[in-house]
């Protein structure tokens, strides 16, 4: 049975919809209101406060910490300086993805590791022979995502931290309401935003300080439905939906390499050793057989499908996690695993795994679309991701104005 996160005493009274889901054993609001429109609009036009405490969090410390991190991830951990964050996948010896997440260098011998799935046993197995400690701090560390165009100004008003000087994928320590907080300029929305990491005992004080200042910055708490729409717009992958960990995959088609995820840029072959290097080097030497790409559906064609049966066109407000076939002519060449109507782009978009011959941007394909229990095909085109990529996401905060 799920339990409440460190912020549950605040989120429960706000969740008027009583629409919850289980995220890693915690109660997580799907939407606070009956509909998630206001929460999505906060992400794109104001500030959204999202409880991300259910993430798995590990503290890696000791003289061998950097060597363990470098041994496991596909990126070069030795280049990571204190106060920097990286996003990375990690693989098994066959070069198949186990999970993805962020790694923050807290100090010369300390890293915080976040993941969607449990990875403690794997990390400790890989630490053999190293002077390093791996501690599961998932329950001790509370975490919030503060996302949206006004998030920097809101943070600036309540903290003594250098919000203006914090670069994209940078981290700084600060105080909020007297509590020590690590602030990283990261997030899962593809917008300007931050993630806040704090001791569990300080969670409610930090939440209250953000909410107390939030009315001037159009702040709203946001749940998973709004987050799902925004992460598809940002072209960000979701484990167990767009791909599966090799630990949990039940078919060969569910197993991916970083190259198939479109994350080949995150595989650093300048490193001499890391788990899966030999297999990934062999794969890199040959043409890819498939890859996850973005798709933009031709909405006028979808409208005509509904018009033909006398119905108004219907685009679900929530993102779909139901896979549907993708075709080139009469041949199925892949599947679209996530899709949504993008309110900001006014388009139907999705993420799909397609064969190599159809993965070039601009390639025309067809996506299955069902109307009144009849399966049709709607035209779509392979599109560069992220679909939505505002300059404020990475721009220097002082250039965004106060």
């Amino acid at each position: 049975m799920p339990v409440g996160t460190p912020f549950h005493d605040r989120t429960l009274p706000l969740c008027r919809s009583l629409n919850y889901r289980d995220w890693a054993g915690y109660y997580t609001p799907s939407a606070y209101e009956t509909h998630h429109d206001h929460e999505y609009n906060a992400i794109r036009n104001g500030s959204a406060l999202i409880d991300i405490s259910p993430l798995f969090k590990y503290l890696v410390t000791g003289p061998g910490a950097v060597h363990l991190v470098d041994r496991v991830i596909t990126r070069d951990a030795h280049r990571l300086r204190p106060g920097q964050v990286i996003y990375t996948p990690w693989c098994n010896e066959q070069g198949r993805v186990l999970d993805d997440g962020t790694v923050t260098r807290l100090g010369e011998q300390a890293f915080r590791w976040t993941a969607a799935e449990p990875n403690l046993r794997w990390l400790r197995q890989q630490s053999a022979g190293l002077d390093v400690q791996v501690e599961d701090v998932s329950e001790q560390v509370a975490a919030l995502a503060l996302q949206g165009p006004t998030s920097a100004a809101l943070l600036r008003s309540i903290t003594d931290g250098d919000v203006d000087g914090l670069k994209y994928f940078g981290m700084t320590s600060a105080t909020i309401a007297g509590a020590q907080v690590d602030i990283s300029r990261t997030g899962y929305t593809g917008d300007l935003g931050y993630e806040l990491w704090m001791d569990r005992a300080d969670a409610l004080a930090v939440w209250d300080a953000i909410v107390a200042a939030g009315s001037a910055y159009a702040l709203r708490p946001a749940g998973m439905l709004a987050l799902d729409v925004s992460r598809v717009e940002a072209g960000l992958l979701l484990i167990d939906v767009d791909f599966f960990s090799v630990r949990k995959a039940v078919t060969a088609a569910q197993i991916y390499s970083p190259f198939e995820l479109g994350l080949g840029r995150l595989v650093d072959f300048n490193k001499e050793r890391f788990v899966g290097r030999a297999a990934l080097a062999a794969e890199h030497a040959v043409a890819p057989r498939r890859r996850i790409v973005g798709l933009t559906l031709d909405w006028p064609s979808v409208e005509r499908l509904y018009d033909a049966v006398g119905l108004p066109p219907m685009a679900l407000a929530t993102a779909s996690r139901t896979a549907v076939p993708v075709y080139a002519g009469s041949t199925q060449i892949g599947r679209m695993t996530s899709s949504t109507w993008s309110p900001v782009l006014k388009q139907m978009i999705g993420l799909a795994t397609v064969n190599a011959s159809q993965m070039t941007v601009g390639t025309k394909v067809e996506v299955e679309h069902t109307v009144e229990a009849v399966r049709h095909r709607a035209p779509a085109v392979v599109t560069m991701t992220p679909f939505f990529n505002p300059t404020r996401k990475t721009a220097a905060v002082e250039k965004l104005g106060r």
Side-chain angles (χ1 to χ4, degrees), residues 177-188:
Q180 188 70 28
V181 178
D182 287 340
I183 302 173
S184 59
R185 192 170 167 183
T186 51
Y188 196 52

Side-chain angles (χ1 to χ4, degrees), residues 52 313 395-396:
I52 57 170

Side-chain angles (χ1 to χ4, degrees), residues 130-147:
L130 297 175
D131 184 5
V132 63
Q133 295 78 46
V134 183
E135 181 184 0
D136 186 346
V137 294
S138 302
E139 294 187 12
Q140 293 97 310
V141 175
L144 290 170
L146 181 65
Q147 304 284 300

Side-chain angles (χ1 to χ4, degrees), residues 70 73-76 268-274 277:
D70 200 56
I73 67 174
T74 62
R75 303 184 68 177
D76 189 347
D268 191 343
F269 289 118
N270 292 320
K271 293 169 53 173
E272 290 186 6
R273 298 183 182 88
F274 62 91
R277 187 187 191 283

Side-chain angles (χ1 to χ4, degrees), residues 75-123:
R75 303 184 68 177
D76 189 347
H78 291 282
R79 297 174 61 184
L80 190 62
R81 298 189 299 274
Q84 286 187 320
V85 188
I86 54 173
Y87 165 68
T88 181
W90 50 96
C91 303
N92 65 7
E93 288 289 0
Q94 291 72 46
R96 306 299 98 176
V97 173
L98 288 163
D99 204 346
D100 66 333
T102 60
V103 177
T104 303
R105 190 160 196 172
L106 304 174
E108 288 298 329
Q109 297 185 4
F111 295 80
R112 180 173 51 241
W113 196 311
T114 69
E117 302 281 340
N119 281 269
L120 181 63
R121 183 169 179 264
W122 173 258
L123 293 176

